[in-house]
Amino acid sequence: MLALRLLNVVAPAYFLCISLVTFVLQLFLFLPSMREDPSAARLFSPALLHGAFFLFLSTNALGNYVLVIQNSPDDLDACQGTAARRALCPPPSAHFCRVCARVTLRHDHHCFFTGNCIGSRNMRNFILFCLYTSLACLYSMVAGVAYISAVLSMSFAHPLAFLTLLPTSISQFFSGAVLGPEMFVILMLYLWFAVGLACAGFCCHQLLLILRGQTRHQVRKGVAVRARPWRKNLQEVFGKRWLLGLLVPMFNVGSESSKQRDK
């Protein structure tokens, strides 16, 4: 349990450090390299478009990250305490999380990167957090590849060029052909690629569970759920104003049917 609580502190710090490093690289390396193009118009310059798009992705990723933490799942005070009191909570709608030390409705899982449980109230923000984190990482990887290609005069036209970039760059780094900042960007390329794919896969998995009307906790316990139309399952999580929530970080606007169904 001590290891889990320590991970609950280290994982958010790790995510925030990656976000800070990504922002610094975008601001001080990638954007200045795009401003060096004199042929581009000032209004539609690559630097302006790149900065605006990255700002949109990062704002939604960090905004939904904060909302996941602030918009915590329902806390059932009556179910906390002894095992006899927790036994009164009807499974599988309620689950006691040992890390958070509380009982939550519609428990899906505990996310260590946010240090919070994921349930009915913050599920939509969590999915959007995964979506925009994946897009921000993959977009940063593309911008980093363009930066490395321009600085080191490398071509990524070959499909295996990205896979062989790391071992080649390591040997060139020790020989002095590749400097420290370029080597750091190359390492970040693979980190962005790994985090982007992981978040994308997790987002798709969560959406599949929502379409089925299930949670990860119910799947692990083998609990059968009542069949419902997939549109109602989506509306229960994303609400009627789903487009507004997709563009701007905001609190969950889902319906209250999930709370009523679990009671």
Side-chain angles (χ1 to χ4, degrees), residues 69-81:
I69 299 175
Q70 291 183 346
N71 204 21
S72 300
D74 297 319
D75 193 356
L76 303 180
D77 295 332
C79 297
Q80 294 186 2

Side-chain angles (χ1 to χ4, degrees), residues 68-248:
V68 169
I69 299 175
Q70 291 183 346
N71 204 21
S72 300
D74 297 319
D75 193 356
L76 303 180
D77 295 332
C79 297
Q80 294 186 2
T82 63
R85 295 178 65 184
R86 294 200 300 266
L88 298 177
C89 300
S93 61
H95 174 71
F96 178 76
C97 178
R98 296 183 299 171
V99 181
C100 294
R102 65 182 178 184
V103 181
T104 57
L105 284 174
R106 294 289 294 173
H107 178 85
D108 189 85
H109 68 284
H110 181 88
C111 177
F112 289 98
F113 285 99
T114 60
N116 198 12
C117 282
I118 307 301
S120 58
R121 292 185 60 191
N122 57 1
M123 173 60 72
R124 189 194 66 162
N125 297 121
F126 176 75
I127 292 178
L128 294 179
F129 159 68
C130 292
L131 173 64
Y132 281 107
T133 299
S134 174
L135 293 177
C137 287
L138 295 178
Y139 184 70
S140 297
M141 185 197 70
V142 173
V145 167
Y147 173 80
I148 292 298
S149 178
V151 172
L152 301 181
S153 300
M154 298 179 60
S155 175
F156 290 89
H158 195 275
L160 298 179
F162 182 76
L163 298 178
T164 59
L165 175 62
L166 183 59
T168 303
S169 301
I170 292 177
S171 61
Q172 293 179 354
F173 173 74
F174 287 105
S175 63
V178 176
L179 300 179
E182 285 77 15
M183 189 64 209
F184 182 76
V185 173
I186 292 174
L187 293 176
M188 288 298 299
L189 293 181
Y190 289 90
L191 182 60
W192 287 326
F193 181 70
V195 174
L197 288 185
C199 289
F202 203 84
C203 180
C204 294
H205 176 66
Q206 291 294 138
L207 286 176
L208 180 61
L209 292 179
I210 290 176
L211 291 175
R212 295 176 178 177
Q214 291 179 307
T215 63
R216 292 185 63 190
H217 175 67
Q218 292 174 339
V219 173
R220 289 195 303 267
K221 296 298 182 179
V223 177
V225 295
R226 184 178 61 183
R228 302 176 63 206
W230 62 270
R231 293 182 182 272
K232 290 186 177 180
N233 294 330
L234 281 180
Q235 184 175 344
E236 183 180 85
V237 175
F238 293 94
K240 297 181 179 180
R241 294 177 293 173
W242 60 270
L243 183 58
L244 181 61
L246 184 64
L247 299 177
V248 180

